C-alpha cells in the first residue's frame, strides 16, 4: 500500500513516465515519416548532379548479358529483365550503376528470385541502370517523379541494345519488378506497342509487384491482359499484399504513379488496376487455393545456376479490386527480416517462383514461331 503523500512527492517521476509513453507511441506512429525524411536528398532534382551514364555496348553495364559473355543459346527465348529498387539512397536521387550495396542486393536476392524463373527457358539480359532511390518510390513529390522518369531513359537505351545484341529466333519476353515494372510499362507503350513487327515477337510481358491501369491493356491498342497460360503476346501484371490487410493495398494505391499520354508520371487516382493471378496466368477474381500453387521459393544467396527448393501447394491468392491478396506459407523463410528498408522494398523471396517458371514455359511452347518449328520437325520426322 502506498504511503500518504507518495503521489505528491513523486509527481515528477509519474510525469516523466507518462511523457515517455506518449513519445514512444508517437515515435511508432511517425517512424515511417521520420525514416522517409532522412532519405530525402534535400536538393532539387533539376540541379542534382547525375551519376555517370551506362554504356550498354560494354558488359560492365549489365548484370547479365549472354550476348557479350558468350553464354547465349539459340534454343532459348530472350529475356529482358529490369530489376526493382535496391538503392536506399539518402543524399542521392539516383543510384550509380557500380554502387556496391546495390549490386550485392540485386545479384544475391533479386536475380535469383525474380529473374531465375525465366532462365531455364530463357537467355536473361539484365541491365544496370541509374535507378531512382528508395525515397523516390515512397513519395509523390515532383522531384521524385523526375528521378523515376529519368531512370526510364537508361532502360530504353538498354532495351535498344538488347534488341541489337539478341540472336535467338524464339521470341522474347520482358520482365520488370516494382520500379522496373513501372519503367517497363512505359517501354511497352512507347517502343513495343507501336511496332507491329516487334510486338509480334513478344511472347509475353511480366510486370511483377506493379500497378498498371486496366484501360491500357484492354486490347484496344493491340496488347491485352493474359486470360490463360496458352496465350502469347499478352500482359501479366499484379501487386500483392497480405490477405486481410486492405491497409497495405490502400497504401500501395496512394503511392502508385502511372504514365499519362505525355509520358509523365501522375497519381493513380481512381484508375482501375490490372490483376492477373500468377497461380492461373489469367485475369480472374475467383479464389485460387493453395492446391494450384506450383512453388514458392527463397533463392536469396544461391548461385545463379542452382535451383531453389520449391514449397508447393502452400500459397493461395485472389484478385480483389485490382490487388492480389495472398496467403503465404507459415514459415520464417517467407518473412522479411523486420528492418524498415527491407519491408518497403520488394520481397527477398518469390511466392510465385514455380508458377512464373511454368507460365513462361507454357507461353513459349504456344508461341507461333515455336509451334511452326515443331510442326516442320514433326513433318520431316515422318
Amino acid at each position: 500500500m502506498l504511503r500518504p503523500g507518495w503521489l505528491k512527492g513523486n509527481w515528477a517521476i509519474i510525469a516523466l513516465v507518462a511523457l515517455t509513453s506518449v513519445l514512444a507511441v508517437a515515435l511508432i506512429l511517425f517512424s515511417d515519416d521520420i525514416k522517409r525524411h532522412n532519405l530525402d536528398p534535400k536538393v532539387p532534382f533539376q540541379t542534382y548532379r547525375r551519376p555517370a551514364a551506362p554504356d550498354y555496348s560494354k558488359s560492365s553495364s549489365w548484370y547479365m548479358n549472354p550476348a557479350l559473355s558468350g553464354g547465349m543459346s539459340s534454343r532459348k527465348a530472350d529475356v529482358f529483365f529490369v530489376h526493382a529498387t535496391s538503392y536506399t539512397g539518402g543524399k542521392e536521387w539516383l543510384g550509380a550503376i557500380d554502387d556496391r550495396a546495390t549490386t550485392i542486393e540485386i545479384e544475391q536476392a533479386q536475380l535469383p528470385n525474380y529473374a531465375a524463373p525465366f532462365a531455364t527457358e530463357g537467355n536473361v539480359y539484365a541491365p544496370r541502370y541509374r535507378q531512382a532511390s528508395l525515397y523516390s518510390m515512397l513519395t509523390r513529390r515532383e522531384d521524385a517523379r523526375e528521378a523515376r522518369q529519368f531512370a526510364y531513359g537508361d532502360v530504353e537505351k538498354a532495351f535498344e541494345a538488347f534488341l541489337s545484341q539478341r540472336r535467338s529466333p524464339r521470341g522474347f519476353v520482358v520482365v520488370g519488378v516494382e520500379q522496373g515494372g513501372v519503367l517497363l510499362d512505359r517501354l511497352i507503350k512507347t517502343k513495343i506497342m507501336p511496332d507491329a513487327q516487334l510486338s509480334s515477337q513478344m511472347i509475353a510481358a511480366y510486370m511483377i509487384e506493379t500497378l498498371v491501369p486496366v484501360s491500357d491493356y484492354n486490347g484496344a491498342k493491340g496488347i491485352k491482359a493474359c486470360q490463360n497460360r496458352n496465350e502469347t503476346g499478352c500482359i501479366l501484371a499484379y501487386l500483392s499484399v497480405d490477405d486481410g490487410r486492405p491497409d497495405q493495398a490502400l497504401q500501395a494505391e496512394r503511392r502508385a504513379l502511372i504514365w499519362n499520354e505525355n509520358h509523365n508520371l501522375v497519381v493513380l487516382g481512381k484508375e482501375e488496376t490490372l490483376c492477373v493471378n500468377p497461380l492461373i496466368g489469367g485475369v480472374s477474381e475467383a479464389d485460387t487455393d493453395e492446391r494450384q500453387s506450383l512453388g514458392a521459393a527463397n533463392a536469396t544467396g544461391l548461385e545463379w545456376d542452382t535451383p531453389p527448393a520449391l514449397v508447393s501447394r502452400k500459397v493461395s491468392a485472389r484478385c480483389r479490386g485490382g490487388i492480389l491478396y495472398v496467403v503465404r506459407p507459415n514459415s520464417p523463410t517467407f518473412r522479411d527480416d523486420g528492418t524498415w528498408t527491407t519491408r518497403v522494398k520488394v520481397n527477398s523471396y518469390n511466392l510465385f517462383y514455380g508458377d512464373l517458371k511454368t507460365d513462361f514455359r507454357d507461353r513459349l511452347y504456344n508461341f507461333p514461331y515455336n509451334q511452326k518449328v515443331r510442326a516442320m520437325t514433326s513433318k520431316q520426322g515422318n
Side-chain angles (χ1 to χ4, degrees):
M1 184 173 179
L2 295 178
R3 298 191 304 272
W6 183 92
L7 185 62
K8 182 178 179 180
N10 293 276
W11 66 268
I13 296 175
I14 296 172
L16 181 61
V17 171
L19 179 60
T20 302
S21 300
V22 170
L23 290 175
V25 172
L27 184 61
I28 293 171
L29 292 175
F30 299 108
S31 61
D32 282 6
D33 288 336
I34 293 170
K35 288 166 183 171
R36 272 196 296 268
H37 175 76
N38 290 337
L39 293 178
D40 185 349
K42 300 178 179 63
V43 295
F45 185 78
Q46 289 296 329
T47 59
Y48 164 70
R49 185 175 180 179
R50 283 75 158 158
D55 179 352
Y56 292 115
S57 67
K58 299 179 179 179
S59 59
S60 59
S61 292
W62 300 82
Y63 289 103
M64 305 189 76
N65 186 316
L68 297 179
S69 65
M72 182 171 52
S73 170
S74 61
R75 295 184 178 183
K76 295 182 176 183
D78 293 322
V79 179
F80 183 72
F81 177 85
V82 188
H83 66 75
T85 306
S86 59
Y87 178 66
T88 302
K91 295 182 179 179
E92 306 286 339
W93 283 108
L94 303 168
I97 64 168
D98 59 353
D99 180 76
R100 179 169 174 76
T102 293
T103 298
I104 290 173
E105 182 172 330
I106 292 171
E107 290 182 342
Q108 292 192 359
Q110 292 197 32
L111 291 176
N113 283 294
Y114 293 101
F118 301 91
T120 302
E121 305 286 348
N123 301 302
V124 177
Y125 295 71
R128 298 173 184 263
Y129 68 98
R130 290 171 289 179
Q131 61 177 291
S133 68
L134 180 61
Y135 175 77
S136 301
M137 306 302 294
L138 302 176
T139 178
R140 301 190 304 191
R141 58 182 278 194
E142 188 60 32
D143 285 317
R145 298 186 202 189
E146 290 179 8
R148 295 168 69 177
Q149 289 165 185
F150 179 89
Y152 171 77
D154 283 359
V155 171
E156 184 178 277
K157 288 183 175 66
F159 183 67
E160 291 169 351
F162 162 76
L163 293 177
S164 66
Q165 294 166 2
R166 64 177 291 264
R167 293 291 181 270
S168 173
R170 300 190 69 194
F172 69 89
V173 299
V174 288
V175 183
V177 186
E178 190 248 5
Q179 176 175 176
V182 175
L183 300 178
L184 186 61
D185 180 35
R186 177 175 171 184
L187 185 75
I188 293 167
K189 295 169 185 173
T190 59
K191 301 293 290 186
I192 299 177
M193 276 186 174
D195 189 327
Q197 182 178 5
L198 190 58
S199 59
S200 70
Q201 298 174 41
M202 190 183 80
I203 299 168
Y206 297 82
M207 288 179 277
I208 299 168
E209 302 301 345
T210 307
L211 287 177
V212 297
V214 169
S215 58
D216 289 342
Y217 298 108
N218 58 12
K221 300 176 183 177
I223 296 180
K224 63 179 182 177
C226 298
Q227 302 300 315
N228 56 65
R229 284 184 176 154
N230 294 323
E231 279 190 294
T232 60
C234 59
I235 302 293
L236 190 150
Y238 63 86
L239 185 141
S240 64
V241 301
D242 291 337
D243 194 43
R245 292 294 303 275
D247 57 307
Q248 291 182 351
L250 181 61
Q251 188 176 50
E253 290 171 334
R254 285 177 174 172
R255 289 176 179 168
L257 297 174
I258 59 174
W259 301 99
N260 67 9
E261 63 277 4
N262 297 318
H263 309 311
N264 294 317
L265 287 168
V266 297
V267 298
L268 176 65
K270 296 183 179 179
E271 284 274 2
E272 184 182 357
T273 53
L274 180 60
C275 181
V276 178
N277 192 328
L279 294 182
I280 59 174
V283 175
S284 173
E285 289 206 346
D287 291 353
T288 306
D289 67 32
E290 61 274 8
R291 288 174 296 178
Q292 292 188 249
S293 170
L294 298 177
N298 187 333
T300 297
L302 293 182
E303 293 292 332
W304 173 248
D305 57 353
T306 302
L310 295 181
V311 180
S312 60
R313 302 168 70 89
K314 294 292 184 181
V315 176
S316 61
R318 58 175 184 166
C319 289
R320 290 288 186 274
I323 299 289
L324 186 70
Y325 289 87
V326 176
V327 177
R328 69 185 65 222
N330 185 23
S331 167
T333 300
F334 301 106
R335 297 187 194 130
D336 293 321
D337 63 17
T339 62
W340 182 77
T341 54
T342 300
R343 285 190 287 111
V344 295
K345 288 181 181 179
V346 70
N347 292 331
S348 57
Y349 50 84
N350 189 345
L351 296 177
F352 305 106
Y353 189 108
D355 306 284
L356 292 171
K357 181 177 180 179
T358 298
D359 191 281
F360 174 38
R361 183 202 65 194
D362 289 355
R363 296 189 200 282
L364 178 61
Y365 181 87
N366 287 290
F367 189 59
Y369 173 86
N370 298 322
Q371 288 186 328
K372 182 179 178 180
V373 169
R374 285 196 303 275
M376 291 176 60
T377 302
S378 176
K379 185 176 180 179
Q380 291 171 358
N382 293 332

